Amino acid sequence: MLACSRDPAEPRLEGAARVAVVGSPNVGKSTLFTRLTGRVAHIANWPGTTVERKEGLLKLDGKTVVLVDTPGVYSLAGISEEERITRDYLLRGDWDAVLVLVDAVAPEKTLYMALHVRELTGRVVVALTKWDEAHARGVHVHVDQLERALKAPVIPVSGVTGEGLSELRRAIAEVVEAGGAEPLVIDYGVLERAISELARDLSGLEVELRAPPRWIAVKLLEGDEYALRAVLRAGGSRIVEKAEKLRQELQRSGVDVEEAAIAARFRFVDSVCRKAVVRLLLRERRGLLERVLLHPAAGPFASLALLLSLFTVVFAVNTGFPLTLILEQLGFSELAESVESYTLSGLISSLFDSLSRALDRALAEAGVSGPLAGILVEGFLPGAALVLTFFPLIFTALFILAFLEDSGVGPLAAVSLHNTLKRAGLSGRAIYPMLISLGCNVPGVLSTRASTDATERLELIFSIPFIPCQARLVVLLAFAAAYFGGGFQALAPLALVYAASFTMLLLTSLAIRKLRGAREPPELLLELPPLHKPSLKVLWWITWDYVKHFLKRAGFIIFVLGVALWGLTSYGPHGPASTPAESFAGILGKHLSPIMLPFGVHGSAAEALAFAMLAGLLAKEVVLLSLVGFTGAAGPLEALSSLGLTGAQALALMVFYTTYMPCLATLSAVYSETASLKLTLAALAWSLAAALAASLLAYALGLALLG
């Protein structure tokens, strides 16, 4: 059925794939074409016409792809010369994939062309152009929903800011390399019986068109002369006669075939747009908040205060932090515990504690014991609890992020902080993940998607794990209380640890930017929308898309590795371990204890600290519990004091426990966002090496100051 041809006079790079670029007029095709290719490599006229044909070269993973720009058209009807050229190239050209452009500002008008092409072939990538402009005009498109409807990759892009271009290149490379899905099938209603009959007859005919039998069948019913002649040339006169007979039967029953076909396509477009497009009415005048956020002097402080306040509320609702910390410092420990138990994370933990006890009882009554009961009660259930405990925190943090972005507050804050952050090789957008990470690094890593610069995103993914989260703050405070007296006298070592963490963040960011060959900080090109009330539907789209990604990938990894770590801490070479030191984890800690030698820590103290370091890779929340279990102390402060560290050693270990990879969940998020085991291991290795180097410097400083 399929055949392809090209003008032999046209130049062609040997072995290079060709991608047809198709779209309606004014969809942003020329801007995107220039942005992808840099320059036009070849200009000529389309054969037999005076219409200009442009070709450009696009580099994809070392391979060269030729982009062929087709004239802007609204359909493939072949009424105008431009439509005939585009139709001929799609039906007979030598393309390997088709890039269809849909205007994100006006998807209702430009989606029809994409639908037409998707019925023709599955080797399609859809670029949703003018993405930045759409948001500024109050137009929101749910990309996942559109992708599901078209059954093809849909990539939001901006030819002005460059947003989405890397993802678009990857999507084109995948379709060129691996091919696409089957052509899209839409419901033509009363025409379906006739279409099916004709498509069945056409399936055995060699028609020289790059189109599936169903597409040709629809065109025959519509009376399309181009398709009709192609079928006749292939010897399908009986099929043409049958098509005409079916067409007349439909018309006698009151069905206008062409109108019915067009109406079916517009029904499809309308159905998709009703589900995937939201339009908001924006006011033009800027209010007081906008003027404050954009003020050159007050803007950065106001933005920082606003963002910090919002994310503080998020963490207080989910974990109690920093409210619980303040209450403890004021001497209201019982009230702090009570507040923490009624937070979302506290309630989920209580629920799983109850489930654990109920399951334990049920298994005992059923006579199930030993390893099976252990893995169910202490492996699977805590693994699920670890994933679900993160769920409300990630959901609310990302909901606030979506609110900031959709309301217009986020872009304004990003602009006001851009000049400060670009000194670290980052744009103003980096402030979101950095602030979120003060509470938890997992949503911080996930929210790096807000970055439109691929290098900046990698900078953030590698740098964010250095930001002290609330779990590490608890470890820090325990060390400070045990060795520096707690209270305000502990502020100096705490300030030094935070200074070390953010210095490592900045150095890591700059180093990655340099390694990637990016000399200038990322640009911040934003179309600033006026502040407006966001749509709940859009907030749900954005939030759920992020959370779903976490549950599918990071959540699965957390669950599996959590169970594996339970095995390491519960069993040793001789079976179930009665003490942590007898477990595989304890033995590993013993072997890792030489890592404490540079700090002058030896013997059982080094083994306990190394074991806690290993447990801290699962979650920093268990560092103190591990020390308590390993030393047999009554509580964290007693456990830390029993190690007999000097002030310099304690300071060095505070830096070390704060700056190496915070937890398994963060590591899973790094893998989830990079989709690369190599980069994930590199991030882990870098965090360990950098933490060790920084803590040794802190040790030297501590020896000089504290003796």
Side-chain angles (χ1 to χ4, degrees):
M1 177 62 63
L2 301 182
C4 62
S5 64
R6 70 183 176 89
D7 186 342
E10 296 167 9
R12 174 176 179 131
L13 283 172
E14 199 60 42
R18 298 171 85 79
V19 176
V21 184
V22 179
S24 304
N26 303 317
V27 76
K29 192 151 57 68
S30 297
T31 306
L32 184 62
F33 186 89
T34 305
R35 191 80 191 221
L36 285 172
T37 61
R39 65 185 178 86
V40 176
H42 176 70
I43 299 180
N45 287 343
W46 288 90
T49 74
T50 57
V51 179
E52 189 178 78
R53 167 177 171 152
K54 290 189 297 185
E55 291 186 359
L57 305 182
L58 173 65
K59 292 286 185 184
L60 296 175
D61 297 331
K63 296 179 182 175
T64 300
V65 171
V66 179
L67 292 192
V68 182
D69 190 17
T70 64
V73 294
Y74 291 104
S75 76
L76 300 177
I79 296 172
S80 66
E81 187 174 34
E82 286 78 9
E83 285 183 356
R84 284 195 291 276
I85 290 169
T86 302
R87 179 196 61 190
D88 288 353
Y89 188 62
L90 287 178
L91 290 174
R92 298 178 183 278
D94 57 350
W95 49 266
D96 298 282
V98 183
L99 173 61
V100 190
L101 277 57
V102 172
D103 189 343
V105 177
E108 300 89 347
K109 295 179 181 175
T110 51
L111 196 57
Y112 186 85
M113 187 64 208
L115 175 62
H116 233 30
V117 178
R118 271 298 286 117
E119 286 188 277
L120 193 62
T121 176
R123 302 178 70 89
V124 169
V125 175
V126 178
L128 207 52
T129 60
K130 304 180 187 176
W131 188 245
D132 56 327
E133 191 180 335
H135 186 202
R137 293 192 185 188
V139 183
H140 298 274
V141 182
H142 191 198
V143 176
D144 281 6
Q145 185 78 37
L146 193 57
E147 203 166 72
R148 283 197 293 274
L150 292 176
K151 297 178 181 175
V154 177
I155 314 295
V157 297
S158 167
V160 177
T161 66
E163 181 178 358
L165 295 183
S166 299
E167 290 81 0
L168 183 61
R169 290 190 181 94
R170 277 199 295 274
I172 294 172
E174 285 175 9
V175 171
V176 167
E177 187 71 24
E182 291 295 315
L184 187 68
V185 175
I186 68 169
D187 183 5
Y188 279 98
V190 294
L191 306 182
E192 277 299 324
R193 184 184 64 81
I195 292 171
S196 298
E197 282 189 34
L198 291 173
R200 193 165 49 245
D201 295 342
L202 284 163
S203 61
L205 201 64
E206 292 292 333
V207 183
E208 291 186 349
L209 295 178
R210 299 190 67 180
R214 181 179 169 86
W215 190 91
I216 300 173
V218 174
K219 290 298 168 188
L220 288 181
L221 275 180
E222 288 182 297
D224 185 283
E225 288 292 328
Y226 192 84
L228 188 146
R229 287 196 296 273
V231 173
L232 285 175
R233 280 196 297 273
S237 56
R238 291 178 62 184
I239 299 175
V240 170
E241 289 171 7
K242 184 175 181 179
E244 181 58 27
K245 183 180 174 184
L246 289 168
R247 177 183 168 87
Q248 290 177 4
E249 284 178 5
L250 285 163
Q251 286 177 336
R252 281 197 293 275
S253 63
V255 177
D256 183 310
V257 175
E258 287 181 73
E259 281 187 12
I262 292 170
R265 295 187 196 109
F266 275 113
R267 271 200 307 275
F268 182 91
V269 170
D270 183 56
S271 167
V272 172
C273 288
R274 271 190 281 112
K275 293 176 185 170
V277 180
V278 167
R279 287 183 177 277
L280 301 174
L281 187 62
L282 305 184
R283 59 184 171 82
E284 295 295 329
R285 191 177 170 189
R286 294 203 181 277
L288 177 63
L289 182 58
E290 286 134 305
R291 292 198 295 274
V292 170
L293 291 178
L294 289 177
H295 191 277
F301 296 102
S303 300
L304 205 56
L306 179 64
L307 297 176
L308 204 53
S309 302
L310 283 171
F311 288 118
T312 299
V313 171
V314 168
F315 286 104
V317 169
N318 279 279
T319 66
F321 173 82
L323 181 59
T324 51
L325 181 64
I326 294 169
L327 290 173
E328 282 180 359
Q329 291 299 312
L330 294 174
F332 300 108
S333 299
E334 289 185 7
L335 182 58
E337 286 180 17
S338 180
V339 169
E340 189 172 352
S341 64
Y342 285 102
T343 60
L344 292 176
S345 295
L347 291 172
I348 291 177
S349 294
S350 299
L351 173 66
F352 272 91
D353 285 344
S354 301
L355 285 175
S356 177
R357 287 193 294 272
L359 181 61
D360 197 27
R361 282 197 301 272
L363 290 172
E365 289 170 5
V368 178
S369 60
L372 178 59
I375 196 169
L376 287 174
V377 177
E378 298 171 8
F380 288 147
L381 210 54
L386 190 59
V387 174
L388 292 179
T389 302
F390 274 105
F391 179 81
L393 173 60
I394 288 172
F395 187 91
T396 48
L398 294 176
F399 186 85
I400 290 296
L401 190 68
F403 173 84
L404 289 170
E405 194 69 28
D406 193 43
S407 64
V409 172
L412 290 171
V415 168
S416 69
L417 292 165
H418 180 64
N419 285 336
T420 305
L421 286 169
K422 72 179 184 182
R423 298 174 192 280
L426 299 167
S427 74
R429 283 183 179 276
I431 195 65
Y432 309 148
M434 289 169 72
L435 284 178
I436 293 174
S437 299
L438 284 170
C440 179
N441 287 184
V442 177
V445 173
L446 292 176
S447 61
T448 58
R449 293 182 186 187
S451 174
T452 58
D453 181 286
T455 299
E456 183 189 24
R457 192 173 177 211
L458 198 61
E459 289 173 66
L460 287 169
I461 289 174
F462 270 69
S463 303
I464 276 175
F466 290 116
I467 297 178
C469 60
Q470 52 141 346
R472 283 179 283 186
L473 180 58
V474 172
V475 178
L476 277 180
L477 291 174
F479 265 94
Y483 289 99
F484 298 98
F488 292 103
Q489 61 269 38
L491 286 179
L494 287 174
L496 190 143
V497 173
Y498 270 78
S501 299
F502 280 95
T503 301
M504 292 163 75
L505 179 149
L506 298 178
L507 292 177
T508 301
S509 172
L510 290 171
I512 288 180
R513 194 145 198 91
K514 190 168 185 180
L515 285 173
R516 298 263 297 184
R519 296 182 179 178
E520 299 297 327
E523 292 292 335
L524 185 66
L525 298 174
L526 287 174
E527 185 88 24
L528 288 178
L531 292 185
H532 59 275
K533 182 182 174 185
S535 159
L536 278 177
K537 187 175 181 182
V538 175
L539 297 185
W540 169 252
W541 287 349
I542 299 171
T543 308
W544 179 239
D545 285 348
Y546 277 130
V547 173
K548 186 172 59 179
H549 190 73
F550 167 76
L551 289 177
K552 277 183 179 175
R553 302 187 70 172
F556 175 75
I557 294 168
I558 293 170
F559 178 77
V560 171
L561 293 186
V563 172
L565 280 172
W566 163 81
L568 288 173
T569 53
S570 302
Y571 286 85
H574 306 295
S578 56
T579 65
E582 293 176 358
S583 68
F584 287 117
I587 294 169
L588 280 171
K590 187 174 183 178
H591 285 291
L592 287 172
S593 62
I595 203 170
M596 297 296 160
L597 289 178
F599 306 117
V601 183
H602 307 270
S604 60
E607 291 176 17
L609 288 165
F611 173 70
M613 181 196 77
L614 191 65
L617 268 179
L618 173 63
K620 285 296 180 289
E621 287 87 344
V622 300
V623 166
L624 297 177
L625 288 175
S626 302
L627 288 173
V628 169
F630 202 96
T631 60
L637 292 184
E638 185 181 324
L640 283 168
S641 299
S642 72
L643 298 175
L645 303 175
T646 65
Q649 289 169 333
L651 181 65
L653 289 168
M654 284 170 75
V655 172
F656 185 72
Y657 281 110
T658 304
T659 51
Y660 79 91
M661 187 57 72
C663 61
L664 185 61
T666 301
L667 195 61
S668 301
V670 170
Y671 176 71
S672 170
E673 295 309 299
T674 60
S676 165
L677 182 60
K678 186 178 174 184
L679 284 175
T680 306
L681 293 176
L684 175 62
W686 169 242
S687 85
L688 288 170
L692 189 58
S695 54
L696 286 173
L697 280 175
Y699 183 50
L701 181 65
L703 285 176
L705 297 176
L706 305 170

